[in-house]
Amino acid sequence: MADLKEVKKVAVIGSGIMGSGIAQAFLLGGYETVVLSDINDDALEKSKESIEIVLKALEDEDKFKEYVTTHPFLGHFQNIDFKKLKADHKRVGLIADGLTAQKIMGRLVCETDLAKAVSDVDFVLEAVSERLDIKQAVFQQLGELTPPHTVCASNTSTLPVTEIARLSKRPENAIGMHFHGFTQAFNRLIEIMGGEKTSDAAQSIGQQVGESLPSVGGERLVIRLEKEAAGFIANRIAAPLQIYSTWLLDQAREQGISLEQLHAAGYDLRMGDFIGLDTVVNATKSYHDHISSDFESAQLITELFNEGKLGAKSG
């Protein structure tokens, strides 16, 4: 398969913040069927509700303003020209005349059985925890359960595609497809990367799929890397800041400086709470293993992680 026109049915594996956001983007992209798969029915129901909230927010200006002003990371969208946005059908498919959140949701299928979820899909994207062993297990199953033509993408932000696809029977179909941020109906950047055995055709399909997804933020920016690099481009550039952040948190703790004081001084701690401290710890470990031993989690983050206090996802 080498043409986007052949991609009719897509699946997203993992219904967390990233999986939900990516499923929203696929729904807005107009794909005939979007399957969202997870091992937990409650997680799928929660994800379905969150997707519908975003789609409804794109139906009219009042709902849109309310959503972006109450979301912790979308406040900069509150002054957007909604009428112009509505007229630009390429950017947000839902806002095109005749479409509603209800109609869009009719193309979403939730499934706990992975075999059923991917048995006849043309493109599948994995968005499970940022742990190599878990992603390898998923790709091993995808290599056995998907049709031979299916492109299998990982939303990893730090791990090498070659390692993720190592246990797959079809590593030539495996790509990295990193959606930058976690509000995929709004964010623009998607990075595409292959592994050692990835075919050009698979990367081309990934790029075309990315470019087909509308965004409130503007035209999609899809970057295709010419070589494999842990962290892609955006996160690789931003990664060194994490070393400083770790030092800052540890120093603040040693000197009795509170988190409230750090936040008041401009150090924003909300991101970790929002995406989950397990994601922070796992990403840091990946950087440690694949880039530099200078990457370590802050003592406070490690303790909270070990106690199961992961942020919003754990209450």
Side-chain angles (χ1 to χ4, degrees):
M1 183 176 66
D3 195 314
L4 181 64
K5 294 178 180 178
E6 300 176 53
V7 182
K8 305 294 185 183
K9 186 174 184 179
V10 301
V12 179
I13 312 303
S15 64
I17 290 175
M18 290 302 299
S20 298
I22 294 166
Q24 290 166 14
F26 280 136
L27 287 167
L28 290 170
Y31 291 93
E32 291 180 3
T33 304
V34 178
V35 183
L36 182 59
S37 181
D38 205 304
I39 58 175
N40 187 296
D41 279 315
D42 291 338
L44 283 173
E45 187 59 34
K46 183 178 179 181
S47 177
K48 185 177 179 181
E49 291 173 0
S50 70
I51 291 171
E52 190 167 15
I53 287 172
V54 176
L55 298 185
K56 286 183 175 179
L58 295 172
E59 285 185 321
D60 66 62
E61 188 166 8
D62 289 339
K63 293 177 183 177
F64 179 84
K65 297 288 187 184
E66 180 182 1
Y67 180 73
V68 297
T69 53
T70 56
H71 193 285
F73 302 106
L74 295 179
H76 56 290
F77 284 104
Q78 59 186 304
N79 296 320
I80 199 168
D81 187 336
F82 190 80
K83 291 181 175 61
K84 181 179 179 181
L85 181 66
K86 185 175 181 179
D88 190 349
H89 296 179
K90 280 189 175 181
R91 283 175 61 185
V92 185
L94 175 62
I95 298 179
D97 292 338
L99 289 176
T100 64
Q102 185 176 7
K103 286 184 179 180
I104 294 286
M105 290 297 291
R107 292 190 276 106
L108 179 67
V109 176
C110 293
E111 180 59 70
T112 55
D113 187 324
L114 183 60
K116 290 181 180 178
V118 302
S119 64
D120 60 349
V121 298
D122 305 303
F123 188 91
V124 57
L125 190 139
E126 161 273 307
V128 301
S129 297
E130 189 71 357
R131 279 178 45 185
L132 181 59
D133 58 336
I134 296 177
K135 291 184 182 292
Q136 284 179 328
V138 170
F139 266 72
Q140 183 175 20
Q141 290 179 284
L142 292 179
E144 298 169 353
L145 298 174
T146 57
H149 72 276
T150 305
V151 173
C152 300
S154 173
N155 185 52
T156 181
S157 58
T158 64
L159 297 165
V161 177
T162 298
E163 293 301 318
I164 292 173
R166 190 170 297 283
L167 302 181
S168 172
K169 290 183 177 180
R170 294 195 291 273
E172 68 276 7
N173 289 357
I175 65 171
M177 187 173 185
H178 177 224
F179 286 73
H180 198 70
F182 41 78
T183 50
Q184 299 314 329
F186 292 78
N187 288 64
R188 295 178 57 210
L189 177 61
I190 298 174
E191 296 172 289
I192 307 293
M193 181 173 69
E196 291 176 359
K197 298 182 179 180
T198 303
S199 69
D200 286 339
Q203 290 192 70
S204 177
I205 286 294
Q207 184 172 354
Q208 292 176 61
V209 168
E211 290 170 348
S212 76
L213 306 177
S215 168
V216 173
E219 184 179 351
R220 280 287 176 185
L221 176 61
V222 182
I223 305 297
R224 179 171 165 177
L225 278 70
E226 295 301 322
K227 67 177 182 178
E228 190 172 23
F232 294 81
I233 300 173
N235 279 1
R236 188 63 173 263
I237 292 172
L241 179 61
Q242 188 172 342
I243 299 174
Y244 170 69
S245 297
T246 296
W247 174 85
L248 184 62
L249 278 175
D250 286 343
Q251 286 292 309
R253 195 178 197 198
E254 289 179 14
Q255 297 180 31
I257 299 171
S258 70
L259 298 182
E260 289 78 11
Q261 287 174 294
L262 282 179
H263 189 78
Y267 184 82
D268 197 335
L269 299 163
R270 296 175 299 170
M271 184 70 76
D273 281 336
F274 193 78
I275 65 174
L277 296 187
D278 53 338
T279 301
V280 174
V281 169
N282 290 331
T284 303
K285 183 181 184 303
S286 177
Y287 285 141
H288 177 278
D289 294 344
H290 295 104
I291 299 178
S292 169
S293 59
D294 288 333
F295 288 94
E296 296 284 354
S297 292
Q299 295 175 7
L300 174 62
I301 302 299
T302 301
E303 290 175 10
L304 291 170
F305 170 76
N306 290 336
E307 293 170 9
K309 298 176 180 177
L310 307 179
K313 67 173 65 177
S314 62

